[in-house]
Amino acid sequence: MKRRQRPSEKGVHQLRVEARRVIAVLAVLHSIVPGHEPDRLERCIKAAFRGSARLRDTHVRMALTREESEAFPELKPLRKVLRKKEKQCVRRFEKCIACVRRAKLNKSIRDLRKCLRRTLRNSANEERGLQALLKEVNRAHRRTVVLLRRARQGPRTSPARIHRVRVAFKKFRYLVEVLEPLIAGLSSRELRQMRNWQHTMGEIQDTDMLRIFIAKRAARKENGTLDRFLEHLDQRQKHLISEFLGSADQLLEFWPPNRGPFVRKQR
């Protein structure tokens, strides 16, 4: 995404997805690559990721209210507020991106590649690297399972707990996707299942974020009455959580796969 272009909803979302993927991989490289190369690159990526958070949240609210505008005409004043908020967030985001020097970022990537090539020339280091990758995937999976069990405890499953599962599962999913060529027997159906499961958790988070935002405005009696829309969001959230709990056990089938350790595919 170029700086001179207006940051689009799709572009900002894709930036955050790719940033998460890179951060997940860098977490593994810390145990493989000596020196501070992974740290330098990680700082640049995290700066762009953090700088896009408010803009992404605003885009999510805009998208959901746009989808519901026909059924809920009372959202019209709120949509104007969100468009104004978007302009403010765009200015902050552009300032943040301007601080991430492209030349510095490219140099960090080149330095990391050189260091990684030198390290992997040694077969012992290559094997150690594969073991580190497997260990990181297992750790990410265990973290997701622990948070999932916590989320299902008690009479009600809170959106906040599901969000913590979602964040942990993202790291697990992105690692699996990056390492897909090395995982024997991993099917496109399994990858699709992981995307669908994460999408459901994302919808829960987006709905909860919009519900909290509108509840605060409704409490201050801004933009007219929004009680009808709040009730709609409550029902939507309950439905999504029920759908999530109905498929949550599928996570246990994703990993460890019944396919043994990593393999080196022939090129």
Side-chain angles (χ1 to χ4, degrees), residues 11-165:
V12 172
H13 175 60
Q14 193 61 33
L15 169 68
R16 292 178 62 78
V17 169
E18 297 304 328
R20 282 190 182 276
R21 283 198 174 106
V22 174
I23 292 170
V25 173
L26 289 175
V28 181
L29 294 183
H30 279 293
S31 60
I32 303 174
V33 179
H36 301 287
E37 280 78 7
D39 295 326
R40 297 191 188 99
L41 182 55
E42 188 173 11
R43 281 195 295 270
C44 290
I45 300 299
K46 283 187 174 180
F49 181 78
R50 286 192 294 265
S52 63
R54 289 186 179 182
L55 180 56
R56 173 58 184 164
D57 289 349
T58 302
H59 280 163
V60 168
R61 292 165 183 155
M62 291 175 66
L64 289 176
T65 53
R66 184 170 57 244
E67 291 172 4
E68 304 286 359
S69 59
E70 186 174 344
F72 298 91
E74 61 266 35
L75 292 175
K76 186 176 180 179
L78 181 63
R79 293 182 65 199
K80 290 182 179 179
V81 171
L82 288 172
R83 284 194 292 270
K84 183 178 179 181
K85 178 72 172 175
E86 181 196 23
K87 292 180 181 178
Q88 297 172 350
C89 291
V90 165
R91 288 194 291 269
R92 292 197 192 102
F93 173 65
E94 289 178 338
K95 288 181 180 178
C96 175
I97 292 298
C99 295
V100 179
R101 304 296 180 186
R102 184 175 297 180
K104 183 179 179 181
L105 180 61
N106 289 337
K107 184 178 183 303
S108 296
I109 294 173
R110 288 195 303 270
D111 291 344
L112 180 58
R113 282 176 175 170
K114 290 178 182 177
C115 189
L116 187 59
R117 288 193 191 102
R118 287 196 302 267
T119 302
L120 296 181
R121 284 173 188 166
N122 186 313
S123 59
N125 287 338
E126 183 180 1
E127 184 62 32
R128 184 168 59 87
L130 286 173
Q131 292 302 318
L133 291 172
L134 182 59
K135 183 178 180 181
E136 193 65 28
V137 176
N138 286 332
R139 183 185 294 117
H141 178 262
R142 286 196 301 271
R143 174 67 176 165
T144 304
V145 171
V146 167
L147 291 173
L148 174 60
R149 287 171 178 163
R150 290 178 185 173
R152 302 178 76 174
Q153 291 174 353
R156 293 188 62 183
T157 300
S158 71
R161 287 187 173 186
I162 294 176
H163 178 59
R164 286 192 284 271
V165 177

Side-chain angles (χ1 to χ4, degrees), residues 237-248:
Q237 189 176 77
K238 289 177 182 177
H239 170 74
L240 289 170
I241 290 177
S242 176
E243 182 180 344
F244 160 76
L245 293 176
S247 62

